[in-house]
Amino acid sequence: MANCTIQRGYNESCKDFQGGIDKLYLFPYVKYGVSDVFFGGFSKGRNPDAQNITQFPQTTIYEYEAVNISYSENASVTGGGVEWSQDLSFTIPRSFLDLNVYKLMRQDYCAIILDRNGNYRIIGLWNGGEVTISAGTGGEKSAMNGSTITLKARENNQAYFLSNFNADFTIFNNDTINYFEFYVNTAFLGMTNDFDITVGAGNFLYNVTTDDGYSATGLTGDHTIEFPTAAGVKKVSISGVFPAFDFVDPIDNDKIIEISNFGIYGIGSTNQEEAFYNNENLTITATDGGNFGNVTDFRQAWYGCESLTSFPFIDTSKGEDFIGTWRGCATLTEFPLLDFSSATTLNSAWSSCVLLKGFPANAFDNCTATDFANAFDSTGLNTQSIDNILQSIDVAGQINGTFNQTGGQAPSSVGLAAKASLEAKGWTIIVTT
């Protein structure tokens, strides 16, 4: 530390050593072994006097938007040697219920602080810290309304310095959360003011918040949201790991009305079977593509989504089973160019999409599937679209397949030439005439 002795006519750069804390991070306490944390490249046992941690186990930490952050540490001699009290205090300037800060008291935590001199320090490394909370509001309009949290740790050392913070820690904050966001309407006639989340295939660990104040954390399966305000349109946000919905049972199918952001939806998923089955009022306004890149099973994923007028571009490159995937999407008018290179069956995939007119060229150029039975039954395909489809299947070069189209317009001479080529390869082809 620099010598800041005050002397007449002598200047020292004392402003390099400012007080105050810029950032605060918390994470659940884990009992680390002395060989888990490195000091100057060595374990604590081999470098007992070191104060700088140079390597820490990869850890996700949670940034808190706190004010009035203060930290003090004091040493005292006890029967077992020197004990350091590490005392952290901070205020969350929002309501107690809004933040669910009381949940911090359920376990011990470690804290990391960044002081105004650029030092990261870890509090409660070996033993963790106990949390206490005081919540309230002052008597004046300008008084603080929020919760004051204290974390008290007892260690055999002062708070260690972290030399490799950016490499060892992953920061989780409001800027890094990519929510799966959707809207539900509980005001439809005869509906209850709640929403049943029914999960599909995969492993789940997710948190839920709504725009009217509901929250739940650490969920691993089905969950019912009990909305705290009157029936109406509610925004639901899900963070964490949420691979898939499953609406195959008629539970709240009609309540979900819009997906505005896919976000974390689909992470870890290989199966979207019946994910949004019969969501008759669902629209998709999301501009992101979700996480469908490892999904192989799309069976009836959007079956009966009668309010979908368009469909987003998503990664279907590993999709194999597309049986009835968009069947009954009665107001779907256009379809994007998706990747069907891994498809093995598209049986009834767009059946009963009665308004579907536009379908892109080259959609099946690399597709090995031969099962297109009823794929385009009862559709509204225009001539250009049915030409596009037949030509693309012909380009793929597969033999002995089945293809059906009813409704819409007949193919032109270009489409009929592709039809004849496919029939010469053993295909059974039915088209509108």
Side-chain angles (χ1 to χ4, degrees), residues 152-167:
K152 294 181 178 292
R154 297 295 179 263
E155 299 282 319
N156 61 4
N157 203 90
Q158 65 177 343
Y160 293 107
F161 293 82
L162 296 167
S163 300
N164 207 24
F165 175 82
N166 290 328

Side-chain angles (χ1 to χ4, degrees), residues 93-244:
R94 291 170 64 187
S95 75
F96 189 70
L97 287 174
D98 186 27
L99 283 171
N100 289 326
V101 293
Y102 62 88
K103 294 180 180 178
L104 291 173
M105 295 186 293
R106 295 178 178 174
Q107 65 183 102
D108 292 340
Y109 281 81
C110 295
I112 295 174
I113 55 173
L114 171 63
D115 67 28
R116 289 178 181 162
N117 303 307
N119 298 309
Y120 289 95
R121 303 185 69 188
I122 185 168
I123 301 165
L125 170 61
W126 301 118
N127 300 313
E130 185 178 55
V131 173
T132 59
I133 298 174
S134 174
T137 183
E140 304 295 330
K141 288 183 178 180
S142 61
M144 178 63 69
N145 177 21
S147 301
T148 298
I149 295 110
T150 59
L151 184 146
K152 294 181 178 292
R154 297 295 179 263
E155 299 282 319
N156 61 4
N157 203 90
Q158 65 177 343
Y160 293 107
F161 293 82
L162 296 167
S163 300
N164 207 24
F165 175 82
N166 290 328
D168 291 339
F169 297 94
T170 301
I171 299 172
F172 188 92
N173 56 28
N174 286 335
D175 295 329
T176 58
I177 299 173
N178 190 12
Y179 291 102
F180 171 38
E181 295 180 329
F182 57 93
Y183 290 84
V184 300
N185 189 349
T186 62
F188 291 127
L189 183 64
M191 289 187 176
T192 55
N193 192 32
D194 54 26
F195 182 74
D196 289 309
I197 295 174
T198 50
V199 301
N203 297 314
F204 293 77
L205 181 59
Y206 64 99
N207 307 318
V208 175
T209 59
T210 70
D211 61 354
D212 66 345
Y214 182 88
S215 67
T217 59
L219 305 173
T220 58
D222 294 350
H223 180 74
T224 299
I225 300 173
E226 302 283 353
F227 295 108
T229 60
V233 176
K234 319 283 187 176
K235 180 181 180 180
V236 179
S237 301
I238 294 179
S239 61
V241 180
F242 192 90

Side-chain angles (χ1 to χ4, degrees), residues 299 320-324 340 343-350 364 367-376 393 398-404 427-429:
R299 275 178 293 171
E320 298 174 2
D321 192 336
F322 290 93
I323 293 176
F340 294 106
T344 58
T345 176
L346 292 113
N347 191 306
S348 304
W350 295 273
F364 307 112
C367 179
T368 60
T370 57
D371 183 9
F372 287 80
N374 306 311
F376 293 96
I393 296 174
Q398 303 304 309
I399 63 173
N400 300 326
T402 303
F403 177 90
N404 295 77
W427 281 67
T428 300
I429 305 289

Side-chain angles (χ1 to χ4, degrees), residues 229-292:
T229 60
V233 176
K234 319 283 187 176
K235 180 181 180 180
V236 179
S237 301
I238 294 179
S239 61
V241 180
F242 192 90
F245 266 128
D246 184 353
F247 282 95
V248 66
D249 294 322
I251 300 175
D252 290 351
N253 300 57
D254 294 339
K255 287 182 182 177
I256 184 168
I257 60 172
E258 178 187 350
I259 295 173
S260 58
N261 193 60
F262 277 113
I264 54 91
Y265 183 87
I267 292 176
S269 173
T270 61
N271 188 341
Q272 291 290 315
E273 182 183 1
E274 297 169 334
F276 299 95
Y277 187 90
N278 268 342
N279 289 172
E280 294 181 358
N281 297 310
L282 177 66
T283 61
I284 301 175
T285 59
T287 56
D288 64 326
N291 303 276
F292 299 98

